[in-house]
Amino acid sequence: MAPIENTASTTPAFDENKVTVVYVLGGPGAGKGTQCAFLVEDFQFVHLSAGDLLRAEQNREGSQYGELIRNCIREGTIVPMEVTIKLLENAMQDALKEQRAGNAWANGKGRFLIDGFPRKMDQALKFDESVCAASLVIFFSCTQEVMLSRLMERGKTSGREDDNVESIKKRFVTYEDQTKPVIEYYTSINKVAEIDSTPDIDTVHRAASVAINELFAKKAEKSS
Ligand code: C5P
Ligand code: MG
C-alpha cells in the first residue's frame, strides 16, 4: 500500500444508493467471519474483514505499517484508522472494478460486508463520511464466556498470534471500551440488527438472512 495522503474529502468515495455497506460487529469470537461466509453466498456480498486485510498488509514485504500492525494485533489495540480505512477503500475499489456478474453488481452497484469494522467511533464517522455511509450494522452478540471458548478452540489451528488467553483478555477490554460505543451510536440512529450468536451456526444464519432481506426490501421500496 502506498503512503497515506491527507485527503480531506467530504463527499464519500462511493454512492450509498449504489453501493450497499453492511458493518458486521460483535466481540472477538462472536462468529462474524463464519456468518459472513454464508451471507456472501446468499446475497452476492463481497466480504472484507478488516482484521484479514491488516494481517495481509502486515505480511506484505516492504509495508511501512507491518511493525505497527503486528504490535496492535498482539496487544489487542486498534490500528490507526487511516491505515484500515485505506485498505478497505482500496479493496472496495478493486471489487467494483472486477465488474462481477449478477444484478447486485450491475451498473456500478455493489454489496459489501465490512467485518470487524468500525471498531472505534472515529473509524465509524470517518468511513461513513469519506468512503460510504453504512446501510446497516449487524451485531452478533454473545457472552465473553462463549467467545473465549470459541477463540481457544480456534487457537488450536488458526496460527493467529492473538488467539491466546493474554491477547484475548486485552481484545475483550478494547471491545468493551471502544467498540461498544460504536454499537450504541448506530443503535441510537436505528441502524442495528442485533442477533444472538450463542445458538448453532444454522440458527444464527437464518436470523442474519432475515435482517439482510429486510434491508434490501427497504432499499427496493425507497428506490421505487
Ligand atoms: O477482527 P479481527 O479479530 O480479525 O481483528 C484482529 C485485530 O486487528 C484486532 O484485535 C485489532 O488489533 C486489529 N483491528 C483493528 N481495527 C479494525 C479491525 C481489526 O485495529 N477495524
Ligand atoms: Mg474475523
Side-chain angles (χ1 to χ4, degrees):
M1 188 171 77
I4 293 155
E5 296 146 40
N6 187 11
T7 44
S9 69
T10 44
T11 30
F14 306 105
D15 175 0
E16 67 175 299
N17 295 313
K18 286 192 155 189
V19 174
T20 301
V21 164
V22 175
Y23 295 146
V24 181
L25 292 178
K32 302 184 293 292
T34 303
Q35 292 299 327
C36 281
F38 289 117
L39 299 176
V40 162
E41 291 304 314
D42 298 345
F43 297 98
Q44 296 82 50
F45 278 105
V46 160
H47 173 214
L48 299 176
S49 154
D52 287 350
L53 289 170
L54 287 166
R55 281 182 285 273
E57 177 67 16
Q58 173 197 304
N59 293 326
R60 192 177 60 79
E61 211 169 309
S63 168
Q64 60 181 315
Y65 304 109
E67 208 44 41
L68 170 75
I69 295 171
R70 177 167 294 109
N71 286 332
C72 287
I73 288 183
R74 197 185 309 116
E75 293 304 314
T77 56
I78 294 175
V79 175
M81 65 165 179
E82 291 77 8
V83 176
T84 315
I85 289 177
K86 200 71 213 168
L87 289 169
L88 286 167
E89 187 179 343
N90 288 348
M92 288 173 72
Q93 206 75 263
D94 290 347
L96 285 161
K97 260 192 241 147
E98 277 175 26
Q99 301 192 322
R100 292 166 169 251
N103 187 44
W105 291 82
N107 308 320
K109 288 189 289 181
R111 297 178 174 184
F112 295 94
L113 289 173
I114 313 258
D115 159 8
F117 180 96
R119 283 282 227 282
K120 196 175 162 186
M121 217 40 229
D122 65 346
Q123 303 185 341
L125 298 176
K126 186 73 184 171
F127 190 96
D128 279 350
E129 178 194 283
S130 69
V131 182
C132 190
S135 299
L136 179 73
V137 179
I138 299 240
F139 167 36
F140 290 113
S141 64
C142 63
T143 63
Q144 281 195 7
E145 220 178 357
V146 171
M147 294 192 279
L148 177 64
S149 88
R150 287 181 184 166
L151 289 173
M152 292 308 286
E153 191 55 37
R154 184 175 82 180
K156 291 178 186 165
T157 54
S158 70
R160 276 180 54 160
E161 276 182 68
D162 57 351
D163 282 344
N164 58 75
V165 179
E166 298 77 58
S167 292
I168 291 167
K169 284 194 177 143
K170 291 176 183 168
R171 290 157 73 194
F172 284 156
V173 172
T174 301
Y175 172 66
E176 290 295 327
D177 292 352
Q178 321 252 39
T179 310
K180 279 277 181 74
V182 174
I183 296 166
E184 282 158 19
Y185 164 70
Y186 285 108
T187 303
S188 77
I189 56 169
N190 291 320
K191 281 199 173 176
V192 174
E194 179 172 353
I195 291 161
D196 179 3
S197 64
T198 319
D200 62 279
I201 288 176
D202 288 344
T203 305
V204 179
H205 172 206
R206 274 195 297 276
S209 294
V210 169
I212 299 289
N213 269 319
E214 279 172 9
L215 167 69
F216 285 124
K218 242 191 265 166
K219 281 205 150 194
E221 203 177 291
K222 231 172 94 183
S223 69
S224 66

